[in-house]
Every structure is written in C-alpha cells, then in structure tokens.
Amino acid sequence: MPENNPSPETAVMLRVNGKKVEVSCDVRATLLDLLRERLRLTGTKKGCNRGECGACTVHLDGRRVNACLVLAASADGAEVTTVEGLARGEQLHPVQEAFIESDAFQCGFCTPGQIMSAVACIQEGHTGSNEEIREWMSGNICRCSAYPQIAAAVASAARNDV
C-alpha cells in the first residue's frame, strides 16, 4: 500500500498585476494553477494544459509565456501580468477595446490568451503586415476561427500606438 505523504510545498513571492503576493504552493504546481486556484484569477484559461493552445498566455517579466508550462516556483520574484491586470479600473486596455470593436471573439474562451499575446505582439513590433501578425499570434488557437477579426484587432490597436 502506498504511503500517504503530502506533496512538498514552497513559498513563492510574485508581483501579480502590480500587487505583491506571497503564497505557499505544491512544488509541482504550474503558474497557471497558482493563478487560477490559489489567487482566483480565472481570466487566464486552462485549455490544453500542454502549451499547445495559448489560452493560458500571461506576461512573465514582460515576456509572453504559456502559464501551463511554467512551474510556479520558477516564477519566484517575477512580475506577472494577467488579462485582469490590463484594464485600469473601468478603462479597458486599448487591445481589449480593439477586440470588442473588431468583434474578435465568439465563444470567448481563447480571448484572454489572445489579448495577452496581442499586447506582446504589438510591444515586440510584429505588426508590419497581416501575415506577420498571424505568424506571431500563431501560438494561440481559436476554435471558433475568428482569426480575421483577431488579426484586424491587433492591427487596429497597433495603428493606435498601444
């Protein structure tokens, strides 16, 4: 009969959406699980849980990452921005506004990850053409196939100097 040993835990200190957070979590927990289950930031979606769909895209120290592939413990001391951290109070981030104006979502499940990737895509300077936008957004899957509207939203936000 296997022993019932609890999983080892570790303390993780992060700055999430501008706020300092210290939490204890299983050493095997992903950043995605920490955000959703411990911090209750459920805007970041759990899709494939294998880094293939991009639904869990967040910014880690200013770089876009799939939160399902990052161990929470490895993010100790890092700055994390989730989709909840983009808006300033009631004022939506310009990329969020562009997604609404371009009707760049249908079911909405992939939308938070798409928005986080779009913000990074613009910041990285990968918005020179529709083809470039699509290439740099290709890590984010939309099962509803709203790709033309997503690319249009990214282009629109980029033109408005986000």
Side-chain angles (χ1 to χ4, degrees):
M1 194 160 149
E3 291 185 38
N4 192 6
N5 291 331
S7 299
E9 298 235 334
T10 187
V12 178
M13 213 161 48
L14 304 162
R15 189 170 255 335
V16 179
N17 298 330
K19 295 179 182 154
K20 186 177 175 182
V21 174
E22 188 169 353
V23 64
S24 181
C25 67
D26 187 311
V27 295
R28 301 166 297 180
T30 65
L31 179 58
L32 174 61
D33 290 334
L34 176 79
L35 292 169
R36 289 184 57 80
E37 296 171 17
R38 297 301 301 264
L39 302 181
R40 301 290 183 225
L41 294 170
T42 57
T44 304
K45 302 303 180 202
K46 184 180 270 194
C48 67
N49 211 29
R50 296 185 305 214
E52 296 174 359
C53 73
C56 65
T57 303
V58 298
H59 296 174
L60 180 65
D61 288 334
R63 291 184 44 232
R64 58 178 148 171
V65 299
N66 291 331
C68 70
L69 296 180
V70 176
L71 286 175
S74 72
D76 188 43
E79 176 83 28
V80 178
T81 304
T82 69
V83 71
E84 291 95 341
L86 291 180
R88 297 291 171 237
E90 295 296 314
Q91 179 62 44
L92 293 178
H93 186 278
V95 171
Q96 292 170 312
E97 289 178 350
F99 266 65
I100 292 168
E101 291 166 7
S102 298
D103 199 23
F105 50 89
Q106 289 182 31
C107 79
F109 189 81
C110 73
T111 304
Q114 295 279 1
I115 288 172
M116 295 306 292
S117 270
V119 169
C121 186
I122 293 166
Q123 290 172 345
E124 294 162 3
H126 300 298
T127 58
S129 67
N130 186 56
E131 292 75 22
E132 184 179 22
I133 291 169
R134 286 173 171 260
E135 175 67 26
W136 286 91
M137 293 288 294
S138 66
N140 293 80
I141 295 172
C142 174
R143 288 171 179 88
C144 299
S145 220
Y147 296 113
Q149 297 93 322
I150 291 166
V154 176
S156 172
R159 278 192 305 275
N160 293 327
D161 296 322
V162 170

